[in-house]
Amino acid sequence: MYKLDDLNPTQREAVTAGEGTLLLLAGAGSGKTRVLTYRVAHLIAGGEVPWRVLAITFTNKAAKEMRERISDLIGSESKGLWVGTFHSVCLRILRREIDKLPPYTRDFTILDTADQLTVVKDALREINLDDEKTEPRAFAAAISDAKNKLLTPEEYAAGSPDYYRRRAADVYRVYQRRLAANNALDFDDMLMLTLRLFRENPDILARYQEQFRHVLVDEYQDTNHAQYVLVNQLSAGHGNLCVVGDDDQSIYAWRGADIANILDFQRDYPSARVLKLEQNYRSSGKILAAANAIAHHNSERMEKNLWTENDAGEDIMLFQAEDGREEARFVARKIREITDLEGRRYNEFAILYRTNAQSRLLEEALMREGMPYRIYSGVKFYERKEIKDIIAYLRLLFNPADTVSFRRVANVPRRGIGTDTLEKLLLYAEEQNMPVMDALKEAPYIPGMRAQAVAAAESFSALMRAVILEWDGGSVTQLAETLLERSAYMDQWKDERGAEAEARRDNIKEFLSLTTEYDSSAPEAPVLGGFLTQIALVAEIDSLDEGENAVKLMTMHSAKGLEFPVVFSVGMEEGIFPSERSLTENRLEEERRLCYVTVTRARERLYFSYARKRLLFGREAAGKPSRFLAEIPQECLLTESSPALDPDAPMGRGFGTRAGRDWRRQGAKLINQDPGEFNVGEKVEHPLFGPGVVLSVNGAGGDAIVKVVFRREVKELVAGYANLEKMNM
Ligand code: ATP
Ligand code: MG
């Protein structure tokens, strides 16, 4: 049952405020989602019909949770509520109404990202832009960007002197015509077409305005322009709109979210009532003080101050490590110390980092300590495509008969060795009983090989020989660098914009850190063989047994909305966090909000750490502490420096405790969740990459590799770690 007593006075006011427009601008952990949930329950309990209430959340997972909470509060009365994401709500509307937008009909199909790229390529061909240098993904991203801003091709091109943009508009026009001819929608069309439907059919809009007598939106600060307009239109008649959000937590501008939606809310809705929730129920006093101080360094924000009745709590700790490896070791040991001393479980800990590439050292440290951990979102370092590719190249250089690696990279990047040619080469090698790399040299004599295929095979062979010659037995890093350069591997994403391409480049650079580290540990010859053996061992541990009690690792972005008793915020260095890009592209304020989000995830304890020098992205850099650290009241902060480099020496105060060493004997245990089975064609949603469709599934259960096409990228994810939500549409 639901009781208004469970709310503080302002929360209660927000829940019981009757008709009208309401903005609840509330800091982290102040109960925004709780208010939204109670408000829906209160409306229904007061006699409102469930299907007249529309509540919009950021993810399908959040929608599911909200539905469950409402049902806990008022039981079966909640049946029929409209709770969902923007996409799922629009889809529901279009399934009923799209025939008012000819030539679309109600049995339209939704294109996944792979299909979408195919259509982009077709469009490029149609207007003769399909040369080798053109990157279809970049055009797909431009189209998506235009649609999120509700721009037609003509509007997108209008007045722009930018050549690229005008070409993109041309592609967009042809692309859209082809979609319509196929009765197909891409993800962005769901919002765009719903809005067009409303614009061209005022009667339909009026019907939905009439139906949804109450519209509620969570995480309003991360809405984009199209979503803003949709909310605005649906609530225009009655004005019963309740949005909750925190401008300090707007962290998706890079994906089209517009912070102005919340900052200008009062201007757009002059009659809106604005309530602020300022009591935080989540974090200790010191953690909150740090969060407040960070938020105050931004200029573009609405003034608010979080306070709490919670105890001041422990000091926030800042650990200064010599290097990234020591930092990782510090985190692992600290977790062990706290679990030993306080009897905490591993799943009370979260390690948050800025980029996925940072997870490798942490994973290794946790593994070495025999601690179970789970990585949320993103694939483990060694399972990433580009890392697997480069390892396959090295294996092939080491062992010219390695057909598995040959299959993997013979045509990556594309060099004209198609499936057909590949099979012929493998067959020939098998028949002649020779290493497949040697078969390449004999390509001219292989029956049925066309001249082009022969040339492709010979040039691949020449490439690999050139790499070996140039390397001449130097370090593994030299070899990897030569390989990357000669094979032009990185050029695959050269023209690509967006986070995915950037992540790939970062991962490759991080791989070079790994080789540099190996080289400097002065291994015995044979160098390459030793290196490959070492990484094979690390990768082997990746597939161990399952369980539940695990330390959580994730990026700061994917931690939004969540809370943990103990949080480690690692890599607090200039150039990492804030990231180098945010500094050059003037996105420091968004980066600082991300810091605020990170800090406010912590309930009881918060640890920062940074390394004085770090090998990241292939080079060693001297680490300057992040400017965000200086923004925290120093009286809340306890600094500790690296005491010793001896791996077995106790680190700092408290590290001497070694109670309960039993964990050591348990060996490494890696945990993954049971995701259920994924099916090809199924719609899924990922917290970071958004909605997507399953392209292929390899293997079963938590270890299955699920290939998903998201709106802007294709990802191979390990089912158990991927944090993929099944999306019911
Ligand atoms: P975020 O900004 O991180 O999304 P939020 O504002 O949505 O946070 P909630 O997740 O709704 O906050 O609440 C944070 C925590 O505080 C939850 O554990 C919630 O149960 C608790 N909480 C909120 N309000 C109250 C209250 N009045 N009494 C007790 N606990 C509360
Ligand atoms: Mg929330």
Side-chain angles (χ1 to χ4, degrees):
M1 246 331 270
Y2 98 98
K3 294 197 305 279
L4 291 175
D5 293 353
D6 296 342
L7 303 165
N8 69 33
T10 321
Q11 290 176 333
R12 208 176 304 138
E13 197 181 338
V15 166
T16 56
E19 313 248 296
T21 307
L22 179 70
L23 164 64
L24 184 62
L25 189 71
S30 59
K32 291 185 296 294
T33 309
R34 188 179 173 107
V35 162
L36 213 71
T37 310
Y38 272 69
R39 191 172 156 87
V40 172
H42 187 70
L43 285 169
I44 307 293
E48 189 53 277
V49 193
W51 53 267
R52 286 184 173 280
V53 179
L54 170 65
I56 298 174
T57 59
F58 195 64
T59 61
N60 286 300
K61 183 183 159 89
K64 186 165 155 260
E65 266 174 31
M66 181 168 292
R67 218 178 281 119
E68 283 165 5
R69 278 195 224 161
I70 295 170
S71 154
D72 287 346
L73 293 174
I74 53 169
S76 59
E77 274 186 77
S78 63
K79 272 185 101 157
L81 277 171
W82 280 57
V83 183
T85 62
F86 279 102
H87 284 113
S88 68
V89 168
C90 287
L91 198 55
R92 227 173 133 176
I93 295 173
L94 289 175
R95 280 281 177 224
R96 295 177 178 183
E97 321 280 358
I98 203 167
D99 43 6
K100 318 285 190 311
L101 293 178
Y104 296 101
T105 59
R106 276 189 257 176
D107 54 356
F108 62 82
T109 51
I110 296 161
L111 289 194
D112 55 41
T113 313
D115 298 334
Q116 201 183 332
L117 273 184
T118 311
V119 183
V120 170
K121 284 179 198 156
D122 291 345
L124 287 168
R125 207 168 306 125
E126 185 176 325
I127 54 178
N128 296 321
L129 274 180
D130 60 330
D131 58 86
E132 280 198 350
K133 283 197 220 86
T134 310
E135 182 44 67
R137 277 168 203 268
F139 282 100
I143 293 171
S144 173
D145 183 49
K147 287 183 175 181
N148 283 333
K149 292 180 177 137
L150 294 179
L151 299 174
T152 62
E154 293 70 31
E155 290 163 341
Y156 188 65
S160 174
D162 181 348
Y163 171 82
Y164 174 79
R165 193 179 168 113
R166 279 183 285 124
R167 286 295 78 78
D170 293 339
V171 179
Y172 177 16
R173 187 178 308 109
V174 177
Y175 168 87
Q176 202 57 25
R177 200 187 62 224
R178 284 174 171 260
L179 286 195
N182 283 296
N183 196 23
L185 273 61
D186 65 20
F187 270 91
D188 302 305
D189 279 339
M190 294 184 209
L191 273 139
M192 182 116 177
L193 289 181
T194 303
L195 288 168
R196 204 183 109 201
L197 174 80
F198 289 163
R199 195 175 58 242
E200 294 175 8
N201 304 272
D203 55 316
I204 296 180
L205 173 60
R207 185 145 47 78
Y208 281 97
Q209 286 172 335
E210 158 83 16
Q211 175 183 339
F212 298 129
R213 288 176 33 84
H214 293 274
V215 178
L216 304 96
V217 188
D218 197 3
E219 305 273 7
Y220 189 73
Q221 76 279 357
D222 277 321
T223 49
N224 64 29
H225 179 66
Q227 294 164 342
Y228 166 85
V229 174
L230 187 78
V231 168
N232 184 286
Q233 294 200 344
L234 283 177
S235 59
H238 47 67
N240 294 329
L241 170 64
C242 170
V243 308
V244 311
D246 181 2
D247 55 311
D248 289 332
Q249 292 187 69
S250 164
I251 54 174
Y252 281 100
W254 55 280
R255 227 175 51 181
D258 187 356
I259 195 173
N261 292 349
I262 200 161
L263 293 177
D264 296 341
F265 193 83
Q266 284 164 277
R267 194 195 63 200
D268 298 336
Y269 298 89
S271 68
R273 202 154 146 199
V274 180
L275 288 176
K276 293 185 180 183
L277 289 179
E278 300 197 319
Q279 179 170 5
N280 171 293
Y281 290 88
R282 182 181 290 150
S283 305
S284 75
K286 286 183 183 173
I287 292 170
L288 204 58
N292 278 334
I294 290 164
H296 275 103
H297 276 80
N298 271 353
S299 56
E300 203 184 313
R301 67 187 291 261
M302 290 178 168
E303 194 50 42
K304 57 181 140 54
N305 232 327
L306 278 177
W307 59 277
T308 185
E309 282 174 354
N310 296 343
D311 290 341
E314 305 278 331
D315 280 325
I316 298 168
M317 225 175 91
L318 167 61
F319 182 74
Q320 251 173 302
E322 273 311 307
D323 53 28
R325 185 162 290 277
E326 194 192 50
E327 176 189 49
R329 206 165 64 219
F330 159 78
V331 171
R333 290 187 175 188
K334 201 73 192 171
I335 292 173
R336 194 181 76 226
E337 177 195 305
I338 302 177
T339 49
D340 285 352
L341 286 179
E342 302 176 14
R344 283 186 197 270
R345 290 167 58 80
Y346 290 127
N347 60 9
E348 294 179 56
F349 298 85
I351 308 175
L352 308 181
Y353 37 79
R354 182 63 181 84
T355 66
N356 277 309
Q358 288 168 261
S359 71
R360 181 179 64 84
L361 287 177
L362 293 159
E363 284 181 65
E364 288 181 7
L366 291 167
M367 256 184 236
R368 211 171 298 121
E369 294 283 329
M371 266 173 208
Y373 68 90
R374 183 199 291 178
I375 296 206
Y376 286 79
S377 89
V379 187
K380 284 186 175 180
F381 187 74
Y382 293 104
E383 290 161 351
R384 290 170 187 147
K385 180 197 180 305
E386 53 278 13
I387 301 305
K388 282 187 151 175
D389 284 350
I390 185 167
I391 291 174
Y393 264 113
L394 294 177
R395 289 209 173 115
L396 199 53
L397 287 167
F398 186 64
N399 173 12
D402 183 343
T403 55
V404 175
S405 298
F406 180 80
R407 271 184 192 282
R408 185 167 184 102
V409 295
N411 204 30
V412 177
R414 259 183 233 146
R415 53 173 72 90
I417 302 186
T419 324
D420 228 43
T421 310
L422 191 90
E423 292 306 333
K424 283 197 184 104
L425 287 164
L426 286 166
L427 186 70
Y428 183 81
E430 201 186 334
E431 282 171 351
Q432 303 294 318
N433 197 17
M434 59 165 56
V436 65
M437 287 310 287
D438 288 353
L440 291 176
K441 287 180 248 168
E442 301 192 16
Y445 316 112
I446 300 177
M449 289 270 275
R450 280 192 321 231
Q452 265 179 334
V454 169
E458 284 181 330
S459 94
F460 184 39
S461 168
L463 159 73
M464 295 295 262
R465 270 179 290 142
V467 170
I468 299 265
L469 279 177
E470 196 171 317
W471 172 44
D472 195 25
S475 68
V476 179
T477 307
Q478 280 163 355
L479 176 61
E481 279 170 350
T482 310
L483 175 71
L484 285 168
E485 198 184 300
R486 286 269 179 174
S487 66
Y489 184 80
M490 312 275 267
D491 288 359
Q492 292 178 86
W493 316 294
K494 198 175 52 190
D495 299 323
E496 230 171 285
R497 298 151 193 221
E500 173 63 11
E502 192 178 71
R504 282 188 201 280
R505 284 188 281 266
D506 286 351
N507 288 332
I508 292 278
K509 290 185 203 152
E510 174 62 4
F511 183 83
L512 293 176
S513 304
L514 185 78
T515 57
T516 308
E517 210 170 79
Y518 177 81
D519 291 330
S520 65
S521 67
E524 304 288 318
V527 180
L528 180 55
F531 174 72
L532 290 172
T533 309
Q534 181 181 305
I535 57 176
L537 290 177
V538 179
E540 193 61 17
I541 311 172
D542 275 1
S543 51
L544 283 179
D545 37 328
E546 302 187 11
E548 232 2 275
N549 183 22
V551 176
K552 297 169 178 130
L553 277 76
M554 66 189 87
T555 62
M556 293 162 170
H557 275 100
S558 41
K560 192 171 92 151
L562 308 177
E563 53 185 40
F564 316 94
V566 186
V567 168
F568 290 87
S569 174
V570 301
M572 297 296 292
E573 292 142 47
E574 288 288 298
I576 293 181
F577 190 46
S579 73
E580 212 152 306
R581 259 191 112 173
S582 71
L583 297 175
T584 53
E585 292 179 13
N586 230 345
R587 294 192 317 219
L588 185 63
E589 296 225 336
E590 175 147 306
E591 201 78 354
R592 187 177 281 113
R593 291 192 291 271
L594 184 59
C595 186
Y596 173 79
V597 168
T598 304
V599 169
T600 52
R601 299 310 96 196
R603 279 173 32 197
E604 295 161 37
R605 282 158 181 266
L606 176 61
Y607 295 88
F608 288 113
S609 57
Y610 79 91
R612 271 195 268 263
K613 55 183 196 291
R614 181 182 297 274
L615 200 57
L616 191 80
F617 302 155
R619 66 194 149 103
E620 187 171 278
K624 252 178 54 188
S626 165
R627 71 190 65 199
F628 300 144
L629 291 171
E631 296 171 3
I632 295 169
Q634 299 303 298
E635 62 272 19
C636 302
L637 204 60
L638 198 66
T639 306
E640 188 175 305
S641 293
S642 155
L645 292 170
D646 170 6
D648 281 324
M651 291 169 67
R653 278 168 298 128
F655 267 103
T657 349
R658 288 287 170 84
R661 275 180 153 215
D662 280 357
W663 56 269
R664 271 191 189 283
R665 276 176 236 122
Q666 295 168 11
K669 232 193 234 164
L670 296 172
I671 306 305
N672 54 21
Q673 66 197 110
D674 179 14
E677 295 299 324
F678 289 98
N679 302 308
V680 174
E682 187 174 23
K683 314 257 177 337
V684 291
E685 175 143 5
H686 186 273
L688 207 58
F689 309 121
V693 176
V694 176
L695 245 197
S696 67
V697 182
N698 252 318
D703 292 329
I705 306 288
V706 188
K707 192 166 178 185
V708 185
V709 272
F710 294 101
R711 209 142 45 118
R712 299 196 179 167
E713 59 229 356
V714 182
K715 286 252 169 200
E716 284 186 356
L717 305 164
V718 180
Y721 301 92
N723 218 11
L724 277 176
E725 277 281 312
K726 286 168 181 270
M727 202 174 164
N728 302 316
M729 298 197 293

